[in-house]
Amino acid sequence: MPSSTRRLALHTLALAALTASALPTSAQEAQSVRLLVGYAAGGPVDQGARLVGAALSKELGATVIVENKPGANATVAASEVARGKPDGLLLWFAASPTVTISPNVMSKMPFDPAKDLTPVSPVLSYYNVLVVNNDQPFKTAKELVDYAKTHPGTLSYGSAGVGGSNHLGMLLLAKRSGVELNHIPYKGNAPAMTDVIGGQISMMMDIISTASGFIASKKVRAIAVTSPQRNALLPDVPTVAESGIEGLKGFDVGGWYGIYGPKGMSSELTAKLNKAVNAALKQPDLSKRLKELGYDEWTGEPQKLADRATKERAMWATVTQGIVVD
């Protein structure tokens, strides 16, 4: 064999070995990883999962298939992962409410997020924006509150489900400002937004990343963002805290996405997947796109995800007293 051919063959074998060493063994064999999403297609969680999943495919050298399995505050998807084999081929793209809020409000939580899943990696942090149907007469948070006080029980808001972060965010806003609002739960943010646009409901809080397109096209009107500071994607939209309403000072309601695997996943496999997720989030095209959508980068080790989940689960327990989801 000519020396040049021999060198090329050795280089190819070395590259193949390096690639294989970065992958879970089972992923090498099946070349397919299922990433479950607990919400409807077209919503913000689905959008995030598809962007991250595409980038993760490049890092793993395996196809990442995003599957939507909405229902029961995303516990349908999470439960399937909790029951799955810990082989790295079945993962859950989690939005924080199912991990931090649902355990406090669901009467029959089908799994224990702290015990039945393996934290793999943080992914993103996000905030919501309060949007209203264009026919509503109010254009600021203060005008909304004033209208609600003079028209008690007439305004309705949608959410991704009872106990979801946008449900409790609106509930917190209503309680702190002393108004009555009617909650209409949906199986995801996307169908709720459709009804805000159509006028079936008055308003909703939606993740900035997906709501921004509807705001830009003037299908809905933005009232306020739920972050402590204004969001770079919506610089002209004030924060809830800027409303001037005493009870809304310091208003700060957000959430996050993270990736989990089944219970019992080995530390070696978890570390490999964590490394791949973090590398995916550093890909320039994905990083740029996520910033354009209004997301905040949130990367790190599995323990970082586990610690934040534990802390926020305790925080939401103080807000959800009296709320029970069957």
Side-chain angles (χ1 to χ4, degrees), residues 13 24 35 44 46 71 79 97 100 108 111 118 123 133 147 167 182 185 189 203 251 253 271 281 284 294 318 325:
L13 288 171
L35 185 61
D46 174 69
S79 295
T100 62
K108 295 179 180 179
F111 67 98
T118 299
V123 177
N133 174 267
Y147 184 91
H167 167 212
N182 298 318
N189 285 348
M203 69 191 87
F251 194 88
V253 176
L281 292 168
T318 66
V325 181

Side-chain angles (χ1 to χ4, degrees), residues 136-278:
Q136 295 298 329
F138 35 82
K139 296 183 178 180
T140 67
K142 188 177 186 308
E143 289 177 0
L144 186 159
V145 169
D146 290 343
Y147 184 91
K149 287 181 177 179
T150 56
H151 301 77
T154 62
L155 295 179
S156 58
Y157 67 94
S159 78
V162 175
S165 62
N166 51 359
H167 167 212
L168 296 182
M170 284 299 301
L171 180 63
L172 190 62
L173 184 150
K175 285 186 174 181
R176 287 189 179 181
S177 56
V179 299
E180 180 185 348
L181 302 173
N182 298 318
H183 175 223
I184 312 297
Y186 291 79
K187 289 185 178 180
N189 285 348
M193 179 62 80
T194 297
D195 279 3
V196 174
I197 294 170
Q200 286 78 19
I201 55 177
S202 312
M203 69 191 87
M204 72 175 292
M205 284 182 180
D206 193 11
I207 296 174
I208 291 172
S209 60
T210 47
S212 59
F214 297 108
I215 296 167
S217 61
K218 300 188 183 303
K219 292 183 178 179
V220 293
R221 184 165 62 245
I223 295 292
V225 293
T226 65
S227 50
Q229 295 85 32
R230 294 194 183 195
N231 187 275
L233 195 63
L234 301 170
D236 297 328
V237 180
T239 67
V240 171
E242 289 181 78
S243 65
I245 298 171
E246 183 66 26
L248 298 180
K249 286 183 179 179
F251 194 88
D252 180 0
V253 176
W256 45 264
Y257 297 155
I259 291 179
Y260 289 82
K263 178 182 178 180
M265 210 154 65
S266 71
S267 58
E268 180 184 14
L269 177 54
T270 301
K272 287 180 179 179
L273 289 169
N274 175 266
K275 182 179 179 180
V277 173
N278 280 277

Side-chain angles (χ1 to χ4, degrees), residues 1 12 16 35 38 41 48 51 91 110 120 212 221 224 231-232 277 289 295 299:
M1 179 184 294
T12 302
L35 185 61
L51 288 170
L91 302 172
V120 171
S212 59
R221 184 165 62 245
N231 187 275
V277 173
R289 179 59 177 151
Y295 285 117
T299 57

Side-chain angles (χ1 to χ4, degrees), residues 79-155:
S79 295
E80 181 171 338
V81 173
R83 296 190 303 266
K85 294 180 180 179
D87 57 8
L89 297 180
L90 180 63
L91 302 172
W92 177 39
F93 192 88
S96 56
T98 312
V99 178
T100 62
I101 298 174
S102 294
N104 292 312
V105 300
M106 293 189 71
S107 61
K108 295 179 180 179
M109 187 73 179
F111 67 98
D112 185 337
K115 297 179 180 179
D116 298 334
L117 295 165
T118 299
V120 171
S121 181
V123 177
L124 302 167
S125 287
Y126 64 84
Y127 281 98
N128 290 327
V129 57
L130 173 56
V131 298
V132 303
N133 174 267
N134 284 325
D135 292 334
Q136 295 298 329
F138 35 82
K139 296 183 178 180
T140 67
K142 188 177 186 308
E143 289 177 0
L144 186 159
V145 169
D146 290 343
Y147 184 91
K149 287 181 177 179
T150 56
H151 301 77
T154 62
L155 295 179

